[in-house]
Amino acid sequence: MLGLPAHVRACLFDLDGVLTQTAKVHAAAWKEMFDGYLRERAACEGTAFVPFDAVDDYDEYVDGRPREDGVRTFLAARGIRLPEGSPDDPPESETVNGLGTRKNDLVLRRIREEGVEPYEGSVRFVHAVRDAGLRRAVVSSSANCRDVLVAAGIEDLFDERIDGLVARERRLRGKPAPDTYLEAARALGTEPARAAVFEDALAGVEAGRAGRFGVVVGVDRVGQAAQLRAHGADVVVRDLAELLESQ
């Protein structure tokens, strides 16, 4: 009934772009933050301003990664290296953590102003998973995961939540490392081989493949089916409801 292998007993869902329509909010916030920083830097150095691409740069360097990893990875691609700073750096600090704080402030503002909408097809699928007796966890690099779940009205659909706060507390490496997904499987009492991973991010499907999960489902929201498969997805759908409709 679920379009999954019969041996799967647990489902591990990414948040942004899989369950909720917040990936576009994050992409816009990353662009606003990076463009502001890059424009200031270009003006100081007398160089050309090259903006952040909210599709290609977002997919390649920041989507699915912990916030500081996203800052560090994108800046490295531009040949920029900043001091790490500390997690309590204010948004005006020219550090990895400072830029991460600036981006997070922008995301929270956008969520307050625009709200959070879940994907209806994903909600249908999660209800079907619950009705079938499978265990469920949300696995997100976001420190705002619980707030987003509550705002979307879907927090009660999940047994466990492994998010950015949990990852920091337990010192789990972020995606594309499999640590957070492995921790979710452990929390649900399930072997990775008997769990399914649902991801829209290239780093996320890499994490699923690295963790040797039973099946990795790529969710293609932006026309990157081939890339999702190349990075580790066993199956690619445009919406999770397709898995129900395929039966």
Side-chain angles (χ1 to χ4, degrees):
M1 291 179 60
L2 301 172
L4 300 173
H7 66 271
V8 169
R9 302 310 307 155
C11 292
L12 315 178
F13 299 91
D14 177 46
L15 178 66
D16 304 313
V18 173
L19 297 173
T20 59
Q21 300 182 44
T22 40
K24 58 187 177 183
V25 177
H26 282 278
W30 279 113
K31 179 169 177 58
E32 184 176 351
M33 183 277 285
F34 275 132
D35 280 0
Y37 173 69
L38 293 171
R39 189 177 287 108
E40 293 168 3
R41 188 180 180 94
C44 290
E45 297 181 347
T47 56
F49 163 62
V50 180
F52 176 85
D53 189 301
V55 177
D56 292 340
D57 287 335
Y58 177 73
D59 291 342
E60 184 69 24
Y61 303 117
V62 303
D63 188 22
R65 300 177 188 269
R67 193 185 312 141
E68 288 73 28
D69 287 353
V71 173
R72 199 179 300 111
T73 304
F74 172 71
L75 292 181
R78 293 292 182 92
I80 301 171
R81 186 170 182 175
L82 295 180
E84 287 294 307
S86 63
D88 58 354
D89 279 359
E92 60 270 17
S93 297
E94 193 175 355
T95 63
V96 168
N97 279 275
L99 293 186
T101 300
R102 192 183 306 185
K103 181 265 175 179
N104 194 52
D105 288 350
L106 293 169
V107 164
L108 293 176
R109 187 198 74 199
R110 287 175 178 270
I111 289 174
R112 284 195 302 269
E113 294 176 353
E114 302 169 18
V116 176
E117 289 293 328
Y119 285 102
E120 188 274 336
S122 294
V123 174
R124 282 176 52 204
F125 183 79
V126 176
H127 275 283
V129 167
R130 183 181 64 181
D131 292 346
L134 276 62
R135 301 271 283 162
R136 304 158 311 284
V138 176
V139 183
S140 172
S141 61
S142 175
N144 306 311
C145 180
R146 183 179 181 277
D147 292 338
V148 172
L149 289 171
V150 171
I154 57 174
E155 183 191 21
D156 62 340
L157 293 178
F158 303 96
D159 302 302
E160 296 287 343
R161 184 185 76 252
I162 305 298
D163 59 13
L165 298 177
V166 173
R168 180 177 299 174
E169 176 186 311
R170 301 180 189 176
R171 299 186 177 182
L172 304 173
R173 293 176 299 167
K175 306 168 190 177
D179 299 29
T180 51
Y181 276 116
L182 292 172
E183 182 70 6
R186 186 202 63 77
L188 294 177
T190 306
E191 296 176 4
R194 293 171 64 83
V197 166
F198 300 83
E199 265 285 355
D200 73 314
L202 302 182
V205 294
E206 284 186 35
R209 178 170 60 183
R212 298 184 178 181
F213 286 87
V215 62
V216 179
V217 178
V219 183
D220 179 22
R221 304 289 190 191
V222 294
Q224 58 176 10
Q227 296 98 310
L228 288 167
R229 289 191 181 92
H231 283 259
D234 300 302
V235 178
V236 176
V237 296
R238 288 171 297 177
D239 188 88
L240 294 188
E242 293 178 25
L243 294 170
L244 301 176
E245 294 159 3
S246 68
Q247 299 308 296

